[in-house]
Amino acid sequence: MGKKTLKGLRWLLIKHQENLDESKDERPRLQDLLNLNESLSIAYYLKEDLGQIRQQSGKAIAGRFLKDWCVRASGIKVMQTMAKKLQGQRTGIFDS
């Protein structure tokens, strides 16, 4: 995927899905972008999944959710560092 393809669309990767503007066709444009690159798509969905940690009903469930997320993220080289950092900060994450 070239830089020209990403130019002007990178911000779509940062937005949360619920904030995509339908009047600007952001959802289909994001999907087209994700269809171009499998690794990018996996990383994007991991980002979206991590945001669900706050919706878990308790610390134990959130802890299992984080552990599962870290296992999935560890399968992607660029996400391994983040997964390790999150695992090391578990106590701080769940006590705040």
Side-chain angles (χ1 to χ4, degrees), residues 45-61:
Y45 288 115
L46 280 169
K47 176 203 65 118
E48 288 292 310
D49 285 349
L50 187 58
Q52 294 179 16
I53 197 164
R54 293 179 182 237
Q55 298 171 358
Q56 305 307 307
S57 59
K59 286 184 183 182
I61 294 171

Side-chain angles (χ1 to χ4, degrees), residues 42 46 49-50 63-77 79-80 82-84 86-87 90:
I42 292 168
L46 280 169
D49 285 349
L50 187 58
R64 286 192 299 273
F65 181 90
L66 180 61
K67 182 178 180 181
D68 177 63
W69 187 92
C70 287
V71 168
R72 290 184 291 134
S74 294
I76 301 170
K77 188 171 178 105
M79 301 290 280
Q80 289 172 354
M82 183 174 178
K84 287 179 185 176
L86 285 172
Q87 286 177 324
R90 286 175 64 100

Side-chain angles (χ1 to χ4, degrees), residues 1-13:
M1 181 178 344
K3 288 182 181 180
K4 282 187 174 184
T5 304
L6 285 175
K7 189 172 182 167
L9 296 177
R10 286 183 269 193
W11 57 273
L12 287 173
L13 297 169

Side-chain angles (χ1 to χ4, degrees), residues 26-61:
E26 289 180 347
R27 192 172 305 279
R29 290 169 60 204
L30 173 63
Q31 193 57 54
D32 289 344
L33 180 61
L34 295 175
N35 289 341
L36 290 174
N37 186 297
E38 183 179 2
S39 297
L40 179 65
S41 180
I42 292 168
Y44 174 79
Y45 288 115
L46 280 169
K47 176 203 65 118
E48 288 292 310
D49 285 349
L50 187 58
Q52 294 179 16
I53 197 164
R54 293 179 182 237
Q55 298 171 358
Q56 305 307 307
S57 59
K59 286 184 183 182
I61 294 171

